[in-house]
Amino acid sequence: MAMGSLKYVAFLLMVVSTSHIADAQLSRLLNLINISGLVSCSLNGNIIANPTTPIPPFPNALVEVSCGGNVISSAITNGSGMFNIILNPLQFLLSNLLSSNCNVHVVTPLSNCNATLPSTGILQSPLQFIGTTARGLFNVFNLAPETFQLIGI
Ligand SMILES: *[C@@H]1O[C@H](CO)[C@@H](O)[C@H](O)[C@H]1NC(C)=O
Ligand SMILES: *[C@@H]1O[C@H](CO)[C@@H](O)[C@H](O)[C@H]1NC(C)=O
Ligand SMILES: *[C@@H]1O[C@H](CO)[C@@H](O)[C@H](O)[C@H]1NC(C)=O
């Protein structure tokens, strides 16, 4: 490790172990943005309340978070259709992520989870703020897709 980064780690450790440090300063250093959500294998990728037949999840789908047309992060949904992306708020502004500049896209075609669903178009949703959770020294800002919509068919 380079001397510079060693010094930085030492500085961080010092900050963390100094209990009388201003809360604001501590939380600025130790915030996380946690984007998570469920993608369903339905025409609009959304969960439907009390469906007559249960909607299966969409596993192995590539989910991308884009801002201003640039992909800033991505993840693959797991077997339950869940995805999770952690971002550093020092790198990505929460207010920007929640603005219309940023969106969640499901890039994998819906036909991958159900052959009768469209093989073109992608699901898109804006992000919404769910709440803040404290996790050890971290303040986690939880974000999730609002409502998916099939675009570009
Ligand atoms: C992010 O959110 C998901 C869903 O609520 C949760 O399972 C996961 O533990 C969270 N991760 C962190 C680092 O808080
Ligand atoms: C998918 O991820 C969620 C949230 O982390 C977890 O609760 C669930 O058990 C996972 N499902 C599978 C099949 O791994
Ligand atoms: C596949 O999609 C069609 C059309 O939405 C639906 O009627 C059918 O139940 C779906 N199949 C499964 C296994 O989810």
Side-chain angles (χ1 to χ4, degrees):
M1 204 188 282
M3 203 56 202
S5 35
L6 270 182
K7 274 189 191 148
Y8 181 64
V9 168
F11 166 75
L12 276 184
L13 288 176
M14 193 186 76
V15 168
V16 169
S17 62
T18 308
S19 54
H20 56 77
I21 188 137
D23 277 355
Q25 196 176 350
L26 186 64
S27 57
R28 236 190 350 263
L29 277 169
L30 299 169
N31 283 341
L32 279 182
I33 296 171
N34 183 10
I35 304 175
S36 64
L38 170 69
V39 183
S40 292
C41 184
S42 66
L43 195 52
N44 60 14
N46 296 308
I47 316 143
I48 300 160
N50 311 312
T52 41
T53 49
I55 307 293
F58 189 171
N60 304 311
L62 176 60
V63 177
E64 294 178 343
V65 176
S66 308
C67 294
N70 298 313
V71 176
I72 60 164
S73 193
S74 64
I76 303 280
T77 58
N78 72 6
S80 313
M82 299 284 303
F83 73 91
N84 195 198
I85 291 171
I86 302 289
L87 297 176
N88 180 349
L90 295 178
Q91 223 178 337
F92 302 102
L93 281 179
L94 196 57
S95 57
N96 185 37
L97 285 168
L98 293 169
S99 77
S100 58
N101 189 43
C102 298
N103 278 299
V104 181
H105 291 128
V106 180
V107 183
T108 308
L110 281 165
S111 56
N112 273 37
C113 68
N114 180 337
T116 69
L117 294 174
S119 58
T120 57
I122 61 170
L123 296 169
Q124 174 178 291
S125 170
L127 283 164
Q128 64 179 338
F129 182 69
I130 299 294
T132 309
T133 46
R135 214 172 163 90
L137 287 168
F138 290 87
N139 252 335
V140 183
F141 302 115
N142 297 295
L143 271 52
E146 204 174 289
T147 318
F148 281 114
Q149 202 184 332
L150 188 62
I151 59 157
I153 326 162

